[in-house]
């Protein structure tokens, strides 16, 4: 029904006209607060106009996103989708290789007569561009391309006449290839953090009625001088560090004919075990990030695509037990064990004689 309404709107519905109560909000942030690291971004934008006919806000025609000075985008850091617009509109996500996926999101749209609808958004990497695929119930509804520059992105939404957006939520995940000095990141945070601890992102919105507005959003960042100090180093040189030692194997859902597994954006090998189950070896050793995302893209024997993801937190503080001030019994038990060298095991008490 939504697709039918979209077709009808393209030929019949007028474009929404803004009232004096039109309002827009803009929130965008870097996924990593650490300067100079591989990062991604997340954003939520909203548009409203309670006084407009049927509450439909004016339509957006272009969004220019200018990131903090020093931000760098590099579309050569991961595989690209070379499909044409026609192929993407016809085949949907299947037109692009899974390795070119950048992120995803959703929108809430509204027709000029007030009916709302929801879409899913998929983002794919292309040379100097982002391919934006918008679907309704899995069926492609529209497709367009955003322009990616060194430190900016220009969004060129392709909305049918009579359709406007009320909400847009997107996330681009961190992606990188290589390691050390040879590492390439799709998006890299600025090399420094300003004294106020905030990276600024400017959004310039141009609407179908030729009006425009500029909004700002702040993203918290960490100045190295403010990072928590660690033992064994001078205060001015201490840094928070985390190096993982985790190495494990995951079993993929049963019934998969094939699958691809990505760890922090890097593809890893998938094998079948002796029971015929697909598995993947996840090596997080020497991983310095505190949070790593593992994505699985599988295909069943019937051809259905299955996607899942899991985040692994690598740097959690060890759990400690501190008796509460009122827990006198626990404190007394602890002191008794220390003084008399008593071993406590459930309800069994074993008295060890003090050393001579």
């Amino acid at each position: 029904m939504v697709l039918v309404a979209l077709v009808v709107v393209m030929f019949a519905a007028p474009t929404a006209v803004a009232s004096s109560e039109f309002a827009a909000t803009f929130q965008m942030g870097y996924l990593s607060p650490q300067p100079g690291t591989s990062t991604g971004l997340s954003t939520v934008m909203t548009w409203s106009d309670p006084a407009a006919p049927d509450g439909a806000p004016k339509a957006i025609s272009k969004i220019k996103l200018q990131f903090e000075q020093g931000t760098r985008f590099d579309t050569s850091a991961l595989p690209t989708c070379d499909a044409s617009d026609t192929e993407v509109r016809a085949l949907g996500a299947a037109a692009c290789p899974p390795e070119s996926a950048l992120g995803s999101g959703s929108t809430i749209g509204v027709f000029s007569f007030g009916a709302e609808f929801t879409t899913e958004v998929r983002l794919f990497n292309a040379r100097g561009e982002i391919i934006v695929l918008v679907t309704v119930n899995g069926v492609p509804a529209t497709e367009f391309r955003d322009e990616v520059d060194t430190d900016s992105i220009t969004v060129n939404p392709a909305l049918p006449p009579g359709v406007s957006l009320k909400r847009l939520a997107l996330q681009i995940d961190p992606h990188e290839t290589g390691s050390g000095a040879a590492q390439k990141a799709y998006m890299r945070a600025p090399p420094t953090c300003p004294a106020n601890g905030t990276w600024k992102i400017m959004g310039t919105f141009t609407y179908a009625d030729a009006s425009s507005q500029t909004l700002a959003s702040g993203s918290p960042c960490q100045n190295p001088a403010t990072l928590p100090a660690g033992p064994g180093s001078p205060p001015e040189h201490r840094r928070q560090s985390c190096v993982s030692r985790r190495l494990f194997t995951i079993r993929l859902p049963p019934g998969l004919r094939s699958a691809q597994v990505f760890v922090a954006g890097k593809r890893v090998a998938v094998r079948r075990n002796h029971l015929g189950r697909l598995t993947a070896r996840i090596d997080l050793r020497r991983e310095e990030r505190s949070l790593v995302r593992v994505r699985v893209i599988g295909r069943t024997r019937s051809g259905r695509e299955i996607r899942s993801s899991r985040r692994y937190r690598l740097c959690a503080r060890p759990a400690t037990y501190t008796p509460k001030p009122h827990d006198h019994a626990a404190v007394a038990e602890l002191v008794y064990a220390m003084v008399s060298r008593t071993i406590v095991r459930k309800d069994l008490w074993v008295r060890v004689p003090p050393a001579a």
Side-chain angles (χ1 to χ4, degrees), residues 202-222:
M202 305 298 295
T204 300
F205 300 83
T206 304
Y207 297 94
D209 62 1
S211 63
S212 64
Q213 67 178 145
T214 299
L215 302 175
S217 181
S219 181
C221 59
Q222 289 184 326

Side-chain angles (χ1 to χ4, degrees), residues 33-35 193-197 221-229 235-236 238-240:
Q34 303 290 345
C193 178
N196 63 0
C221 59
Q222 289 184 326
N223 193 312
T226 64
L227 291 177
E236 63 273 16
R238 292 175 183 172
R239 298 290 185 271
Q240 187 180 30

Side-chain angles (χ1 to χ4, degrees), residues 333-346:
E333 203 172 82
L334 180 62
V335 172
Y336 181 77
M338 294 174 62
V339 174
S340 60
R341 298 182 65 203
T342 303
I343 301 174
V344 184
R345 183 180 177 183
K346 294 183 179 179

Side-chain angles (χ1 to χ4, degrees), residues 286-301:
R286 297 176 296 278
E287 179 62 61
E288 295 184 355
R289 280 168 293 195
S290 60
L291 193 66
V292 173
R293 183 186 182 198
V294 175
R295 292 191 300 125
V296 177
I297 304 174
R299 193 168 295 277
T300 65
R301 293 183 177 89

Side-chain angles (χ1 to χ4, degrees), residues 250-274:
I250 61 172
R251 294 188 301 170
L252 306 188
L256 292 182
R257 181 183 64 193
S258 61
Q260 295 175 328
V261 177
F262 300 89
V263 179
K266 303 175 185 177
R267 187 173 176 179
V268 299
V270 175
R271 297 181 175 84
R272 288 191 183 273
N273 61 16
H274 64 287

Side-chain angles (χ1 to χ4, degrees), residues 41 67 71-75 148-153 185-187:
L41 63 87
F67 293 84
T71 303
R72 291 292 179 266
F73 288 95
D74 183 1
T75 59
V148 181
D149 207 341
T150 304
D151 58 357
S152 66
I153 296 177
Y186 178 81
M187 179 181 182

